[in-house]
């Protein structure tokens, strides 16, 4: 992908664009696959393929408003042969730290469920961690909503928020284990988490394509 300062109109955007792609290729993909692995370890897992990914997931029914099972996206508003324009670049730079925090939180939530399964933490500690994780998801949703994306990125942001709400729904389902001790709730929550992470993975590849 060309990154000429002339094309962007600013030398600074050229440097930031390179840094964002580097962060994406070296950090984001690895974090997502670690999150997916941690979540998938909770249950035996085989299912249907997800469009735009080479992962396989079970067919599930989504109850989050605006959620759509089809992960395919319409044509990206910015050509993949040129870098984001300054308005898009500002939005993507503001979203990136929230995206990283979201991944870290998903990893911590998935890890908490895993160590509860193995008996390393008790039900009260699980509930404490999940309450914290859910609060973080909700805070990130508010922060993403406040970004005010350019019009051409409004639909991708709406889909991003759908994924964040799926993670919240998953955490709420996990919290039932904290209430009654039944680990079956963790298994019920896992497909929601994996669906959300798959959606975020697709969007992340569009927002921050690897060089």
């Amino acid at each position: 992908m060309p990154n000429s300062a002339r094309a962007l109109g600013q030398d600074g955007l050229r440097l930031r664009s390179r840094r964002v792609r580097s962060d994406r290729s070296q950090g984001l993909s690895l974090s997502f696959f670690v999150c997916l692995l941690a979540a998938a370890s909770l249950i035996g897992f085989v299912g249907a393929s997800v469009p735009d990914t080479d992962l396989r997931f079970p067919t599930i029914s989504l109850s989050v408003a605006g959620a759509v099972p089809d992960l395919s996206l319409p044509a990206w508003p910015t050509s993949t042969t040129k870098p984001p324009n300054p308005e898009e670049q500002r939005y993507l730079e503001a979203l990136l730290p929230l995206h990283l925090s979201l991944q870290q939180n998903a990893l911590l939530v998935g890890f908490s469920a895993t160590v509860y399964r193995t008996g390393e933490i008790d039900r009260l500690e699980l509930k404490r961690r999940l309450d914290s994780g859910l609060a973080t998801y909700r805070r990130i949703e508010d922060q993403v909503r406040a970004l005010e994306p350019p019009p051409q990125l409004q639909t991708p942001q709406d889909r991003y928020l759908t994924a964040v709400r799926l993670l919240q729904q998953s955490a709420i389902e996990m919290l039932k284990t904290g209430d009654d001790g039944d680990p079956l709730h963790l298994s019920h929550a896992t497909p929601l988490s994996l669906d959300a992470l798959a959606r975020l993975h697709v969007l992340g590849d569009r927002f921050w394509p690897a060089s």
Side-chain angles (χ1 to χ4, degrees):
M1 180 185 297
N3 279 300
S4 68
R6 186 178 296 109
L8 284 174
Q10 298 184 40
D11 289 342
L13 288 180
R14 175 173 177 263
L15 295 175
R16 289 196 296 271
S17 179
R18 282 183 175 173
R19 185 177 66 250
V20 167
R21 283 202 309 277
S22 176
D23 289 343
R24 166 71 183 91
S25 60
Q26 295 179 19
L28 303 189
S29 291
L30 177 59
S31 296
F32 265 119
F33 282 112
V34 171
C35 289
L36 287 169
L37 181 61
S41 69
L42 297 178
I43 58 174
F45 204 65
V46 219
S49 61
V50 174
D52 291 346
T53 76
D54 56 2
L55 303 172
R56 296 182 66 79
F57 297 89
T59 301
I60 61 175
S61 175
L62 304 179
S63 59
V64 175
V68 287
D70 183 8
L71 299 191
S72 59
L73 296 173
W76 199 235
T78 301
S79 170
T80 56
T81 62
K82 63 181 181 180
N85 63 42
E87 186 180 24
E88 293 166 343
Q89 187 72 25
R90 283 191 294 271
Y91 169 78
L92 294 176
E93 289 179 355
L95 179 61
L96 181 59
L98 301 180
H99 188 64
L100 292 169
S101 294
L102 185 65
Q103 290 182 94
Q104 181 181 36
N105 194 58
L107 178 58
L108 291 173
V109 168
F111 179 75
S112 297
T114 300
V115 295
Y116 174 77
R117 283 255 190 188
T118 60
E120 296 175 54
I121 61 174
D122 62 18
R123 183 157 52 97
L124 292 179
E125 176 62 15
L126 174 68
K127 184 174 174 58
R128 185 193 69 78
R129 294 187 185 191
L130 293 178
D131 279 333
S132 175
L134 179 58
T136 298
Y137 285 144
R138 288 171 172 165
R139 185 183 72 249
I140 291 173
E141 179 183 1
D142 290 342
Q143 291 172 320
V144 173
R145 286 185 183 281
L147 290 183
E148 298 182 356
Q152 64 272 27
L153 293 182
Q154 184 61 58
T155 294
Q157 165 151 307
D158 291 342
R159 295 187 178 198
Y160 194 95
L161 289 168
T162 292
V164 177
R165 291 194 298 273
L166 280 167
L167 288 172
Q168 291 178 36
Q169 186 176 341
S170 175
I172 290 169
E173 180 66 25
M174 290 182 186
L175 273 167
K176 295 177 183 178
T177 298
D179 292 331
D180 62 22
D182 185 352
L184 188 60
H185 300 302
L186 303 179
S187 296
H188 291 164
T190 299
L192 293 169
S193 295
L194 289 170
D195 185 16
L197 291 170
R199 292 168 187 268
L200 291 170
H201 181 70
V202 171
L203 287 164
D205 278 345
R206 297 293 185 90
F207 284 142
W208 303 285
S211 56

